[in-house]
Amino acid sequence: MPQVKMPAKEKQMDEAMRSFAEKVFASEVKDEETRHEISPFDVEEICPISHHEMQEHLIQQESQASPEKQKKRLRLKTIALVLPMAKMSSTRLSTIDEVMSTSPLYQAVPNFQRVQTTCDYASGVTVEDFEVVCQGLYRALCIREKYMRHSLQRFPRTPAQYLRSIEGEVWTADQSCGPVFTPPVKKGEDPFQADNLPEDLGYHVQMQDGVAYVYADAAAPSRGQPKDLPYPDLEGFINDMNFLLALIAQGPVKTYAHRRLKFLSSKFNLHEMLNEMEELKELKNNPHRDFYNCRKVDTHIHAAACMNQKHLLRFIKKSYRLDADRTVFQAEGKMLTLKEVFAQLNLHPYDLTVDSLDVHAGRQTFQRFDKFNAKYNPVGASELRDLYLKTENAIDGEYFATIIKEVGSDLEDAKYQYAEPRLSIYGRSPSEWDRLATWFNKHRIYSPNMKWMIQVPRIYDVFRAKNFLPHFGKMLENVFVPIFEATLNPRANKELSIFLRHITGFDSVDDESKHSGHMFSTKSPKPQEWVHEKNPSYTYYVYYMYANILVLNNLRRERGMNTFLFRPHCGEAGAITHLLAAFMTADNISHGLNLKKSPVLQYLYFLAQVPIAMSPLSNNSLFLEYAKNPLLDFHRKGLMVSLSTDDPMAARGGCRAPGRDLAAAVMGPP
């Protein structure tokens, strides 16, 4: 990828820039929950004084400008922003790219009324500020492109074409950059077959400063000779992060981004006003497709809550009818039957209702993440959660596997609905991967309508307080080293290698509203030095997960295996710096609510078309009232948003697929 061309003065990241970034970070995290004044990242919706001052400034500057500057300003006003045309690549395109390149953009373009905007693109900022803003936005997009390409994640074609055009180069489709997905299972093919695994290499993996390095043998680490793979640059990451942190707090950039976002929203409203009836007519003329039979993909859903409340209740009653005398639970060294478990709880499944199951997150969970997590315990009993919603118990997670397979069967019956549930790896022990893979393969949990993700909860502080882990580096080692070993020696790790074929990405989850107060920098302790009980910051977690995924993806691509995307929970609560770190490292994010606090970051997410999976019904129970959810506002501005359920079991109405959430987004919650 071409290097970013910046003047020498702007390439220097001196102490003044770092000091400014630290001040901005401190102002953002200080008194986060009680602060109501305007953030350094915010721009008021209505600022009449600033508008008046801006007009006076422009008039004064226009009158004092030299003839050369006036000519320059006139030229800027007549700039036409046209999508740069890319020449055909010398490399062979995939079939779908060939079809797209030889077909018209639209087969039948509706006769919409269109409005063209011409003249000044500076949107109310001075020409000098406009140039500074454009340079900053250009560099920010180049930063994201760099980190996405290095980690084999996605960067959209349109912004890439613009960046190459700015650099005076021709954009070409690079097939070597981008994720590698497992091909769909063919009819009659076993999704759990193990006879086609690559050969073992016998390489050695060792963690160094929180990042996995691959060596030819066990003696190579002492010689400092890792295999030739891309490895992360911590200092470069910190410099890029400081630049972005300073950028989103600059006044001219905030003003420009705010006005552009308002302009985009106005364009949508104008189009809707002019062409609403034409769109409805086009919608009605589309045969065999309506709201219910268009394809819906739930890209943000947790496996432990992927069933609705009624489904869980029916399964509990059914299991009691069939397995009342079966030994299913171990308590204090004693094995209990299902009947004895319910007797200890003074319950009978016949008397249970959806209301008494009490897994619905309501007003009592608002701003209470601890109470929200407690809703995963049916009737408030952790015993039932261990029995029905865990992969490891006295019956090897059989009930949980059966429930998930029933959900998959329901999705197949619905035909047009797909889901991507998340399973947890905690990093407490390296054997977690083998146990999870064995559970998955043993119960043959496969559906053509499902793919899977791994979520890593940010709960190092809990494990360290109980002395389960000596330092944070051990947690990273437990999460990533087993996957590296399965990649290097798949035949020696058959169960895990088969399981990894069904995994599409990694997620980082937990309560974002918990502040660590630590600003990630080159002075931060290395993971093996983080021995105290305090949890690392969100950015610290995100960087080291990204760093290991970067190395892992390049290794797996060399071996002809599927790669993984990094798709963390981000922007649900907490500091705006979470969204900044995700902009650099994540293929896409879940939630993104706090983007409404930063017009610059919101505009960058729009320019880079970063996908955002939003869950209005889930947010309504935890962090943000339904009416205040920015989903529709983001959609109007052109951000790449989608709907997801997050926790169907805890959501109002127990929705399972995005169809219900979308209906609620349009019509309001039930």
Side-chain angles (χ1 to χ4, degrees), residues 548-563:
N548 284 282
I549 291 171
L550 181 153
V551 182
L552 179 63
N553 279 350
N554 283 276
L555 176 64
R556 290 182 67 84
R557 184 185 64 177
E558 287 188 5
R559 301 232 62 198
M561 300 176 176
N562 62 298
T563 59

Side-chain angles (χ1 to χ4, degrees), residues 388-628:
Y388 288 103
L389 302 177
K390 291 287 187 180
T391 60
E392 298 178 32
N393 50 37
I395 56 175
D396 297 325
E398 179 184 331
Y399 285 164
F400 187 35
T402 304
I403 292 174
I404 291 178
K405 288 194 285 187
E406 289 179 357
V407 171
S409 178
D410 291 345
L411 293 175
E412 294 172 39
D413 292 341
K415 189 177 179 180
Y416 300 105
Q417 296 180 7
Y418 302 81
E420 202 171 22
R422 286 155 165 78
L423 295 167
S424 294
I425 288 291
Y426 297 93
R428 176 181 170 182
S429 166
S431 62
E432 289 179 26
W433 278 106
D434 289 331
R435 297 198 299 268
L436 182 61
T438 301
W439 169 81
F440 188 88
N441 298 334
K442 173 184 177 182
H443 297 290
R444 299 183 67 83
I445 305 174
Y446 171 78
S447 168
N449 291 49
M450 278 185 173
K451 287 290 186 180
W452 295 86
M453 283 189 61
I454 296 298
Q455 63 181 23
V456 181
R458 298 186 298 275
I459 53 174
Y460 161 79
D461 53 337
V462 176
F463 293 147
R464 185 68 187 95
K466 296 182 179 180
N467 210 27
F468 293 152
L469 295 171
H471 49 74
F472 184 72
K474 189 63 177 178
M475 181 178 180
L476 290 172
E477 181 179 334
N478 293 339
V479 171
F480 287 104
V481 168
I483 323 175
F484 275 89
E485 292 177 344
T487 301
L488 295 170
N489 305 301
R491 296 186 180 181
N493 301 271
K494 285 187 178 181
E495 294 291 335
L496 182 52
S497 298
I498 294 170
F499 175 55
L500 290 175
R501 289 175 178 169
H502 302 270
I503 303 301
T504 60
F506 285 84
D507 190 358
S508 177
V509 300
D510 200 38
D511 183 4
E512 286 189 71
S513 64
K514 295 189 298 186
H515 299 300
S516 69
H518 168 258
M519 182 179 178
F520 185 41
S521 69
T522 53
K523 299 177 182 178
S524 298
K526 296 294 189 289
Q528 68 273 15
E529 299 169 353
W530 196 288
V531 296
H532 43 274
E533 296 181 4
K534 192 174 183 180
N535 215 24
S537 66
Y538 181 93
T539 306
Y540 195 96
Y541 269 102
V542 163
Y543 171 75
Y544 282 106
M545 287 195 68
Y546 167 84
N548 284 282
I549 291 171
L550 181 153
V551 182
L552 179 63
N553 279 350
N554 283 276
L555 176 64
R556 290 182 67 84
R557 184 185 64 177
E558 287 188 5
R559 301 232 62 198
M561 300 176 176
N562 62 298
T563 59
F564 308 114
L565 302 175
F566 184 39
R567 299 162 51 186
H569 280 49
C570 184
E572 188 177 17
I576 202 72
T577 50
H578 299 186
L579 288 160
L580 185 145
F583 178 78
M584 297 175 63
T585 60
D587 178 87
N588 60 77
I589 65 171
S590 298
H591 295 300
L593 300 177
N594 280 348
L595 278 176
K596 66 180 184 177
K597 295 182 178 180
S598 172
V600 180
L601 266 180
Q602 191 180 143
Y603 191 51
L604 284 173
Y605 270 70
F606 160 73
L607 291 175
Q609 287 294 283
V610 181
I612 308 169
M614 304 189 72
S615 309
L617 293 185
S618 174
N619 300 143
N620 185 59
S621 301
L622 193 56
F623 284 114
L624 187 66
E625 294 177 7
Y626 189 89
K628 298 179 181 178

Side-chain angles (χ1 to χ4, degrees), residues 27-28 35-43 254 576 597:
S27 67
E28 175 63 18
R35 184 164 49 86
H36 297 289
E37 64 270 15
I38 298 177
S39 160
F41 305 106
D42 292 346
V43 172
K254 290 193 294 182
I576 202 72
K597 295 182 178 180

Side-chain angles (χ1 to χ4, degrees), residues 313-327:
L313 179 63
R314 284 199 309 265
F315 186 86
I316 290 174
K317 292 185 175 184
K318 178 183 176 181
S319 64
Y320 190 84
R321 288 198 307 270
L322 299 177
D323 297 335
D325 297 320
R326 178 185 177 184
T327 301

Side-chain angles (χ1 to χ4, degrees), residues 614-661:
M614 304 189 72
S615 309
L617 293 185
S618 174
N619 300 143
N620 185 59
S621 301
L622 193 56
F623 284 114
L624 187 66
E625 294 177 7
Y626 189 89
K628 298 179 181 178
N629 196 285
L631 167 69
L632 292 179
D633 182 54
F634 289 173
H635 172 64
R636 291 189 183 101
K637 292 173 180 175
L639 277 74
M640 186 179 286
V641 294
S642 66
L643 279 157
S644 58
T645 55
D646 194 356
D647 305 277
M649 182 180 72
R652 181 184 293 273
C655 57
R656 170 173 295 148
R660 179 66 177 273
D661 213 349

